[in-house]
Amino acid sequence: QQQVKQSPQSLIVQKGGISIINCAYENTAFDYFPWYQQFPGKGPALLIAIRPDVSEKKEGRFTISFNKSAKQFSLHIMDSQPGDSATYFCAARWGGTSYGKLTFGQGTILTVHP
Amino acid sequence: NAGVTQTPKFQVLKTGQSMTLQCAQDMNHEYMSWYRQDPGMGLRLIHYSVGAGITDQGEVPNGYNVSRSTTEDFPLRLLSAAPSQTSVYFCASRLGGHRTGELFFGEGSRLTVL
């Protein structure tokens, strides 16, 4: 049972376009929602994160939009560049006494054409 | 500044063989974890540890053992490898507690079981 569902599986965008990746969750025990970026042959690295009491967070060209009532959050990459081509994972952190374990979505392979 | 170091980077095993994937971190992180990455499945938590001598199961623990005798090291053992364990394995660590959800990942170990 996938606790965090991510879509699409793959995405192709032209340079300068907007990339949008969506995630949905069911469990209200999650208390923190990070996005990780992974380049081929490397481990994932934290890109941007948001807490559920905030509806939007922006860092440079990357924005997380968070809809608590719908239990959905999304990553927007503005002015997408070929260097953004990577696999993106959304994640959710278990709150309470769960030691802050992270559960990940299925991943989205983003390709930005020049 | 090594961060999280995994060895080996590549390994081929025959069904039934045993092996240990090594993970070491030099950031004095209390929390360490192992994930496996499979296409379309994202990153799934195998085992985690919140400190020396303390380990617990994640989402997919069957077929894997762990121990944590020091803060720095968190090896993952496959006692009798099966083809279903063909995957890319990532070790990740972070500070203890809920101060941050940022996991620092190693570069991965690609395992093939024939």
Side-chain angles (χ1 to χ4, degrees), chain A:
Chain A
Q1 178 186 359
Q2 196 79 28
Q3 295 279 351
V4 179
K5 296 182 180 179
Q6 182 172 345
S7 62
Q9 271 197 317
S10 62
L11 180 62
I12 299 174
V13 174
Q14 292 297 122
K15 178 181 176 180
I18 302 173
S19 304
I20 301 174
I21 304 170
N22 300 299
C23 285
Y25 65 97
E26 287 295 326
N27 201 315
T28 56
F30 294 135
D31 67 356
Y32 174 79
F33 299 87
W35 285 86
Y36 281 77
Q37 179 188 55
Q38 182 185 32
F39 293 106
K42 301 294 184 181
L46 180 66
L47 180 64
I48 186 173
I50 196 167
R51 297 188 185 279
D53 54 349
V54 176
S55 61
E56 185 176 282
K57 184 173 182 180
K58 183 176 181 179
E59 290 185 0
R61 296 184 293 108
F62 300 89
T63 299
I64 301 177
S65 296
F66 189 86
N67 186 330
K68 188 174 181 178
S69 61
K71 297 179 187 175
Q72 295 175 349
F73 58 110
S74 59
L75 177 69
H76 296 236
I77 306 175
M78 310 300 288
D79 187 26
S80 298
Q81 299 297 313
D84 297 330
S85 296
T87 300
Y88 293 81
F89 293 98
C90 62
R93 186 181 71 185
W94 291 87
T97 59
S98 65
Y99 301 108
K101 292 181 294 184
L102 279 185
T103 188
F104 287 83
Q106 297 93 323
T108 297
I109 301 172
L110 172 65
T111 303
V112 181
H113 285 315

Side-chain angles (χ1 to χ4, degrees), chain B residues 3-5 23-30 32 68 71-72 93:
Chain B
V4 179
T5 303
C23 176
Q25 54 88 11
D26 61 359
M27 297 175 283
N28 202 29
H29 285 172
E30 295 172 331
M32 296 186 73
R68 183 98 177 268
T71 300
E72 295 79 17
S93 71

Side-chain angles (χ1 to χ4, degrees), chain B residues 17-63:
Chain B
Q17 286 185 318
S18 63
M19 77 156 301
T20 300
L21 298 177
Q22 301 290 346
C23 176
Q25 54 88 11
D26 61 359
M27 297 175 283
N28 202 29
H29 285 172
E30 295 172 331
Y31 181 97
M32 296 186 73
S33 55
W34 279 100
Y35 286 85
R36 60 179 288 175
Q37 181 176 5
D38 303 289
M41 302 295 290
L43 294 155
R44 292 180 293 170
L45 181 64
I46 304 171
H47 285 287
Y48 67 99
S49 170
V50 297
I54 307 169
T55 63
D56 205 348
Q57 296 179 351
E59 304 167 57
V60 288
N62 292 340

